[in-house]
Amino acid sequence: MRQILLGALALGALAQQTAHAQALYQPRDIKQAFAKQTRAADGRPGPRYWQNTARYDITVQAAPPARDIRGREKITYFNNSPDTLKSVTIRLIQNIHQPGAAREGDASPDYLTAGVTIDSFAVAGQARPFAGQGPATWKTVRLPKPLAPHDSVRLAFAWHFPISLESGREGMIDKTTFFLAYFYPRIAVYDDYNGWDRLNFVDSKEFYNDFNDYTLRVQVPANYLVWATGTLQNPKQVLQPAFAKKLEKSMTSDAVMHIATAADLAKKNITAQGPQNTWVWTAKDISDVTLGLSDHYVWDAASVVVDPATKRRASVQAAFADSTADFHYAVKNGQNALGWFSRNLPGVPYPFPKMTVFQGFADMEYPMMVNDSPEKDLKFAQLVADHEIAHTYFPFYMGINESRYAFMDEGWATTLELFIGRAENGAEQADAFYKQFRVNRWIHDPATAEDLPIITPSSELRAGYGNNSYGKASLSYLALQDMLGEELFKKSLHEYMARWHGKHPIPWDYFNSMNSASGQDLNWFFNNWFFTNNYIDLALEPAAATAQGPTVAVRNVGGFAVPVNLKVTYADGSTAAVHQSPAVWRANERQATIALPGTKAIKTVELVNGIYMDADPSNDRLTVK
């Protein structure tokens, strides 16, 4: 009996160890979310999942070349959480321009401004002081009355700021062309695992926003055109009839229509001719709004079917200086991107009514808008547009916390950029670009910071931020597709996206969703790629022949579970290709023995790594003696 009990205890301990080995590390705040049932172990939102939302009514005024931007807004904020909120956190991202603001890079004099000034603030219709006008990009505001669960509060702001002379993600493009992003005070995200999002915006990381409803009014002088997130509600009031008709026709046109040409702009007869026009846009259930304006940018537009089942179309528009050669292809490139992403990968119909490509300096995505810089190389220009438009799905279709987990959106945009690039330019050219810009810098940089685990919060990274967010994460998604196969990978990805559309997924929701949707325990793979300091380095070593035929040993020096591709050259000069998916590393992540085809004498065996570039290629070729 004693031996039986000891044996049972040993088996129980072994089972417990095995279960523990298969589990992924979870920080304590993430564990609490699962314990509170806001997140479920199968990757779905939990039965007690919630997220807050708001309605924004914003009016913004600009009159270039004056740099003063003025606005007012009303916010109705809905507390869907189970918590009583005694305060709210307000994001004032324009303060990144203030001297003394925390930022990760240097700031030139043209970048610096006085930041945003709050002219008035009210809660529930009652004027309140707004303490602090310093350089912080968020402020905590105590409410006069706590906001109970399932209640709402009304806030109102009036504000102004000088637009920065130096344009990056936003700012002055030229004296009469502005791009306004994160230009309005907003309520920060309050979520189920972290509470109020109080990370400083440091101008290198990106954003985390709730899904809100917006009405945006943009007041500009006559002869200024405006492009913005959302649907233009009053084209006939702000545009002369001929131009309003062209815009309307473009909504069902496959052919690119020149809504406003350089010749039209010179005549100054495109807009209504009162002293000022108010352009009105609406957008629902979306994470942000942004806008561009100019008195000399030309305007192209067309549309594309994004949902073959319903024939639903999306408008594709472009605003740019007529002298910029590559932007004359912007609408065609945008049509191609929206159609391809909708039909292929991710294979989810483009969810918004419009996409506008605006000429700026940032190569930066916003909902329904991208701010792209001009490029002399037309293929590179298309690739940049493809990447930014791919962000539609991550982080806008799904509300990714980019400031903490940038790999959840940048890694996917990089992956989609590769897939569409192969369709546009062929695999050889697309893969060469991917290797050059997404893998090469990381794999040849042995610095400790570059091999920090991908799961490391983006807010804690500096030197390793770019590679963790883009190339390394993308390679993990590509390796997972190789292992699952295209069909199961796509099915699982769709399930993850459907579960978290319009919500706030975290990495563990992705891991758990892919596990349950694929019907496989992939935790060994996710642990390998996201929670280790691994890199890519395979080495070939001789292996003894077996009764089944010749073999080769592959040692995984770097540790990442990547596909293994071998080129076998026989003594007679013929060759054979051998492929093993990353599953070859499941049993032993450091060593694998791979059978080689045929019975002929083998001359050499060579690793053909492709996009999975090897840190040390000196041991990638084996001569058989």
Side-chain angles (χ1 to χ4, degrees), residues 5 21 72 83 86 89 211 323 361 419 455 495 532 569:
L5 287 172
R72 59 187 184 276
D83 306 324
K86 296 180 180 180
T89 297
F211 288 87
S323 59
F361 297 106
F419 285 137
I455 200 68
E495 183 62 28
T532 70
T569 302

Side-chain angles (χ1 to χ4, degrees), residues 67-296:
R67 293 169 52 205
D68 189 41
I69 306 297
R70 293 190 169 269
R72 59 187 184 276
E73 65 187 289
K74 297 176 182 178
I75 307 171
T76 304
Y77 182 67
F78 299 90
N79 180 18
N80 298 321
S81 82
D83 306 324
T84 296
L85 304 179
K86 296 180 180 180
S87 62
V88 294
T89 297
I90 306 297
R91 287 211 165 271
L92 302 168
I93 302 178
Q94 279 293 325
N95 279 346
I96 190 65
H97 291 283
Q98 280 200 42
R103 63 179 72 86
E104 287 194 355
D106 293 334
S108 73
D110 284 348
Y111 181 88
L112 297 175
T113 73
V116 64
T117 298
I118 303 300
D119 300 311
S120 66
F121 172 59
V123 179
Q126 300 297 311
R128 304 279 299 175
F130 192 86
Q133 296 285 110
T137 54
W138 58 268
K139 305 281 185 183
T140 294
V141 177
R142 193 164 185 86
L143 297 172
K145 175 186 174 184
L147 178 59
H150 311 296
D151 200 357
S152 63
V153 64
R154 291 178 294 112
L155 308 178
F157 290 89
W159 42 267
H160 70 274
F161 65 87
I163 193 169
S164 61
L165 291 168
E166 180 183 308
S167 181
R169 289 175 173 164
E170 43 74 42
M172 181 185 291
I173 309 299
D174 59 46
K175 288 184 178 180
T176 57
T177 303
F178 294 173
F179 190 84
L180 300 184
Y182 41 82
F183 59 91
Y184 58 97
R186 67 184 72 184
I187 299 180
V189 175
Y190 182 78
D191 63 29
D192 62 307
Y193 63 92
N194 187 59
W196 286 110
D197 176 37
R198 291 180 175 139
L199 287 176
N200 284 321
F201 177 68
V202 293
D203 210 26
S204 59
K205 314 307 186 291
E206 295 179 15
F207 307 101
Y208 182 34
N209 299 316
D210 276 321
F211 288 87
N212 306 308
D213 294 343
Y214 290 88
T215 298
L216 173 64
R217 297 175 178 84
V218 185
Q219 296 178 345
V220 291
N223 301 314
Y224 274 84
L225 300 176
V226 184
W227 301 266
T229 299
T231 300
L232 181 61
Q233 298 298 304
N234 61 338
K236 294 181 180 178
Q237 283 69 51
V238 295
L239 294 172
Q240 298 285 358
F243 299 96
K245 285 181 181 178
K246 282 199 284 185
L247 179 61
E248 182 179 12
K249 187 176 179 181
S250 75
M251 300 295 176
T252 56
S253 172
D254 291 320
V256 177
M257 301 191 65
H258 305 300
I259 309 301
T261 65
D264 297 326
L265 290 160
K267 296 174 184 176
K268 299 186 181 299
N269 67 347
I270 299 171
T271 72
Q273 291 301 299
Q276 180 176 266
N277 291 317
T278 301
W279 300 60
V280 183
W281 311 81
T282 60
K284 292 185 179 298
D285 195 28
I286 202 163
S287 57
D288 198 4
V289 291
T290 191
L291 67 99
L293 58 94
S294 180
D295 68 347
H296 63 274

